[in-house]
Amino acid sequence: MSVPLSSLKVMVIDDSKTIRRTAETLLTKAGCEVVTATDGFDALAKIADTRPDIIFVDIMMPRLDGYQTCALIKNNSEFKKTPVIMLSSKDGLFDKAKGRIVGSDQYLTKPFSKTELLNSIEAYAS
């Protein structure tokens, strides 16, 4: 039995305002509660307060990139079971492998569709 999307809190970490807004709109329409962050540092400050059920993180960000952010989340005993989905405009094997190494649960290539976004959440909302 899967959890209804309306009970999920989703964090979207991306330095692109367009991507954050797009994901937030799609997820809010699906009934999710959405928290956004502009980069890894911003996200790490918000994760402890908001305790998201699932996290989408862009790879290419200033200050703290997606790999570093994912590794920090997964190395924290409180949040290591939280699914982290990498978002990237790069679709390379190396990028996907690196994402796995730092503990990401899935990899979505931008631009992503509404279906891809919602399917990736549903895969972990059980």
Side-chain angles (χ1 to χ4, degrees):
M1 188 185 114
S2 66
V3 176
L5 292 181
S6 57
S7 65
L8 289 179
K9 189 179 289 184
V10 181
M11 177 174 272
V12 179
I13 312 163
D14 201 307
D15 57 329
S16 160
K17 191 183 222 175
T18 308
I19 296 288
R20 284 197 313 272
R21 200 173 282 151
T22 302
E24 186 174 19
T25 303
L26 293 172
L27 295 167
T28 303
K29 280 184 181 160
C32 299
E33 182 183 333
V34 183
V35 179
T36 61
T38 53
D39 64 30
F41 285 113
D42 187 28
L44 295 172
K46 290 179 176 177
I47 287 170
D49 294 337
T50 60
R51 311 190 89 65
D53 298 301
I54 191 163
I55 299 168
F56 287 93
V57 60
D58 179 33
I59 292 174
M60 302 297 288
M61 294 185 296
R63 300 201 302 167
L64 200 62
D65 72 21
Y67 297 123
Q68 295 164 316
T69 304
C70 180
L72 288 166
I73 293 166
K74 292 295 187 175
N75 286 330
N76 183 315
S77 57
E78 257 185 273
F79 302 106
K80 69 178 176 216
K81 287 190 169 35
T82 305
V84 176
I85 298 170
M86 307 299 278
L87 297 173
S88 178
S89 47
K90 295 197 281 187
D91 193 17
L93 201 58
F94 173 78
D95 299 299
K96 290 180 180 178
K98 194 170 175 188
R100 287 265 180 247
I101 290 166
V102 295
S104 75
D105 298 276
Q106 199 179 334
Y107 192 100
L108 272 188
T109 307
K110 296 191 276 188
F112 46 80
S113 68
K114 175 186 175 183
T115 308
E116 288 172 315
L117 196 65
L118 298 180
N119 284 349
S120 61
I121 291 175
E122 285 168 358
Y124 297 101
S126 51

